[in-house]
Amino acid sequence: MSEPKPPTPTPGDTYKGWLFKWTNYIKGYQRRWFVLSNGLLSYYRTQAEMGHTCRGTINLATANITVEDSCNFVISNGGAQTYHLKASSEVERQRWITALELAKAKAVRMQAESDDSGDDCPTAPPSAGQGGGGRNSEIQSTLRTMGSKVEDLTTCNDLIVKHGSALQRSLSELEGIRVGGDMGEKIRQVTERATLFRITSNAMINACRDFLSLAQTHSKRWQKSLTTERDQRIRLEETLEQLAKQHNHLERAFRGATVLPSSFSNPALGNKGGGSGKGDASDEDDDNEFFDAMEDPAEFITVPADPKYHRRSNSNLSGFSSETGIDDQSVNFDELSMASNPESPQTLELEPVRQRRTHIPDKPNYYLNLWSIMKNCIGKELSKIPMPVNFNEPLSMLQRLSEDLEYYELLDKGAKCQSSLEQMCYVAAFTVSSYSTTVHRTGKPFNPLLGETFELDRLRECGYRSLCEQVSHHPPAAAHHALSEKGWTLRQEISLASKFRGKYLSIMPLGSIQCLFDKGNNHYSWKKVTTTVHNIIVGKLWIDQSGEIDVVNHKTGDRCHLKFAPYSYFSRDVPRKVTGVVTDKDGKAHYVLSGTWDEKMEFSRVMQSSKGENGTEGKQRTVYQTLKAKEIWKKNPLPEGAETRYFFSTLALTLNELEEGVAPTDSRRRPDQRLMEDGRWDEANAEKQRLEEKQRTVRREREREAVKAVCSPEEGAHQDNHQAMWFEKIDDPVSGETLHIYKGGYWEAKEQGGWDICPDIF
């Protein structure tokens, strides 16, 4: 099947870019840097290898180029070499195919000209139409003429140098000769050589004049042709890109029509699988490690709802709003709350708000041999590995836990909702938003010391304040409590289970998160998904979130099932995709959420649902007819210069800022963390080792005290267990979970300055 030919690259240009090359069934497709030049296609692992190491080269003059599908194509030279390649998009694949076909035609033509170089008659170019062939012949003839002129100029230049040197020698001899009989002979020699020099110079000038005249004659015409070709190329590229988009749109519409035969098209969620090719397995271990997860078929798809639902929404707005809280014409709570919002500018002017810092010292560039440290840590618990601060960021795990409150406005809006189902949408969006700060944050936070705390008092600016405490050391566990004036309470206890597997690091958060709303007494709970850090040893670090979350309202039975899709090379879906469905206690769907955990989330109301045809692996997908999607959450942009400041958000930049009146156990007072933020990493490493050894000594002392109390098992058990300062462990009767709950007293102690009861951990 022939492919439409897009605009071709300019003849003679080198074409470069990234392609995915099939290696073997274990590694699949791997990213490689390809260079097309002089009829040869070569590839390298990275661009840096171009100067010294080529992984393979194929001659296009004898190669066969075959297109497999929208993104895949194969290059083979008859069996000895076969490259199975994959482009990032259909447009990119077409550009490569065009460049390869042009390079192949040029290579074949150059080979034919080389074979017929002894013939007098010029070699005819490959047939490309009568007009194209005549133009190519004219260009070849002009190039040969200009080449001969350049050769004439080179010859004249050599003669001028030769005769000029002889003339210089004769003049030197003439200056040193005495007046006598030899004078006439020397003058005659100088005259002859000067004449030769003048003749050669004239020939040089004439050759230059001919070359200049020829170049000026053709330059304008070539410039005009080049401009025309360039404009044509741009127009064809735009046309091709538009055709590719239309093709994808029609393809999706066709799939939607086959699932639900109606006028509804353009499903928001589709199911595409990436095919695997075959090829040579000549590549060595790759620098980058990617995990090509099998793409699960979509559990549901959405289609636009029938216009009658929109008409009914407009005509019966009050009834719809009372039933579910929002619809396509719902009231904007942000606008309504401006008048009564205690954080409005008018209110804030009455009480000054503290100005927070907006930057920290840039991250220094220290070299460290990672493998020398990590090779002895494979299979160990991450919290038990002694790590230098070079791998850290100047924040503790307690501060990272407090970053979940960056998008607290979602809970503020949820507290105002009349409907528990609408409130569930905001809670689900808040759940997803907590991962947005992790997309570039590859640095490891400091492990908190036992009894370490962190307060985040934003009562004036944002209407909430929170407290974290490290309540256990082995296993490490932190308790968090946040209370808002807007009518919600957030509490969580997180314990991390992590394993280093050589090339990637898996972090499995244990424990649960709970959110309680004063209005309606709705009680929500959920757990976190698995975080994976790839390319620990070699390559650029990147983070992925994968798994499923069930947000449950224990009062009403409402549920939101969120799915974090793992990254896969073979998926055509947007990376970091998240989808979810909000259902009531009877399992009826009311809202659909979709988006990405690093950018934004949208939600749309379900008007009707039905079972579609079976998808892949025989799974039946549900089709939801929805109203127009609305944006419920969008990530805040990072501050300027974030790449040199650990990719901290605006909130993260303020977390380690020194504040008066905080507890002596607060993370802001931790010396090794403060030294690292200031760029004094050597001192920070030494201080970190001191604190860790001090904590081990305290723990051994506590264990010895427990052994002494063996006569009283109850007392021994009591002494062996660490008692948290501000939290107590209880069994939650609503969720049935056991977790640490804030027992009060911290903020009162802060007001009274009563920090004498705090232990000395730093």
Side-chain angles (χ1 to χ4, degrees), residues 144-423:
R144 282 194 292 270
T145 303
M146 296 185 72
S148 65
K149 294 295 182 182
V150 171
E151 292 178 0
D152 293 343
L153 289 173
T154 303
T155 304
C156 292
N157 179 69
D158 295 339
L159 291 174
I160 286 177
V161 172
K162 177 182 177 181
H163 295 314
S165 300
L167 179 60
Q168 186 63 42
R169 286 196 303 271
S170 298
L171 290 175
S172 300
E173 293 174 357
L174 186 61
E175 290 178 357
I177 197 171
R178 295 181 179 179
V179 180
D182 295 335
M183 176 64 74
E185 181 64 21
K186 293 296 181 181
I187 293 176
R188 185 181 61 80
Q189 292 179 2
V190 171
T191 303
E192 290 177 356
R193 289 173 180 173
T195 302
L196 288 174
F197 185 80
R198 179 176 56 80
I199 294 173
T200 307
S201 300
N202 289 336
M204 180 75 169
I205 293 172
N206 292 333
C208 290
R209 186 183 297 112
D210 293 341
F211 182 83
L212 181 61
S213 176
L214 185 63
Q216 289 177 342
T217 301
H218 294 277
S219 63
K220 293 182 179 180
R221 183 170 58 181
W222 287 352
Q223 185 65 33
K224 184 178 180 181
S225 300
L226 180 62
T227 303
T228 303
E229 292 292 339
R230 184 181 293 113
D231 295 341
Q232 234 176 1
R233 172 181 177 175
I234 294 174
R235 286 195 298 270
L236 288 174
E237 284 181 346
E238 294 174 350
T239 303
L240 179 64
E241 187 174 357
Q242 187 65 26
L243 287 174
K245 291 180 180 178
Q246 291 178 2
H247 173 75
N248 291 335
H249 176 76
L250 291 174
E251 191 178 44
R252 292 187 178 185
F254 174 75
R255 287 201 310 272
T258 57
V259 175
L260 183 64
S262 68
S263 60
F264 313 129
S265 61
N266 191 24
L269 300 175
N271 176 36
K272 291 187 178 182
S276 62
K278 299 179 181 179
D280 60 328
S282 59
D283 281 357
E284 302 87 353
D285 292 340
D286 192 15
D287 292 344
N288 295 323
E289 177 73 7
F290 293 94
F291 292 83
D292 298 324
M294 295 299 295
E295 186 178 7
D296 294 331
E299 298 177 357
F300 63 89
I301 62 175
T302 60
V303 296
D306 194 292
K308 66 181 180 180
Y309 293 114
H310 295 273
R311 291 194 296 270
R312 192 176 73 177
S313 297
N314 294 332
S315 61
N316 191 18
L317 179 60
S318 59
F320 249 62
S321 299
S322 62
E323 177 186 352
T324 61
I326 67 168
D327 69 346
D328 196 43
Q329 301 291 333
S330 61
V331 180
N332 189 330
F333 287 108
D334 294 338
E335 296 176 359
L336 292 178
S337 62
M338 286 299 292
S340 59
N341 188 358
E343 295 177 21
S344 61
Q346 292 81 356
T347 306
L348 294 178
E349 288 177 0
L350 301 177
E351 191 171 359
V353 178
R354 173 176 176 174
Q355 295 296 322
R356 307 287 177 178
R357 69 180 184 181
T358 58
H359 66 277
I360 60 174
D362 290 349
K363 178 181 179 181
N365 186 18
Y366 287 136
Y367 171 76
L368 182 68
N369 189 347
L370 176 61
W371 179 244
S372 64
I373 298 172
M374 304 299 282
K375 65 182 180 181
N376 298 321
C377 304
I378 296 177
K380 294 183 180 179
E381 180 74 19
L382 180 65
S383 60
K384 299 180 181 180
I385 298 176
M387 302 286 284
V389 300
N390 303 59
F391 303 114
N392 286 49
E393 62 179 19
L395 290 178
S396 73
M397 190 62 200
L398 302 181
Q399 292 165 315
R400 284 289 292 267
L401 206 59
S402 301
E403 278 192 75
D404 289 356
L405 296 169
E406 179 166 1
Y407 299 96
Y408 68 93
E409 301 97 335
L410 292 170
L411 298 181
D412 289 349
K413 295 176 182 177
K416 301 175 184 177
C417 293
Q418 301 294 328
S419 165
S420 63
L421 293 169
E422 178 192 355
Q423 191 176 72

Side-chain angles (χ1 to χ4, degrees), residues 571-589:
S571 175
R572 296 184 182 179
D573 263 332
V574 60
R576 308 182 183 96
K577 185 176 182 179
V578 181
T579 56
V581 180
V582 176
T583 57
D584 57 21
K585 63 179 180 179
D586 299 323
K588 180 182 177 182

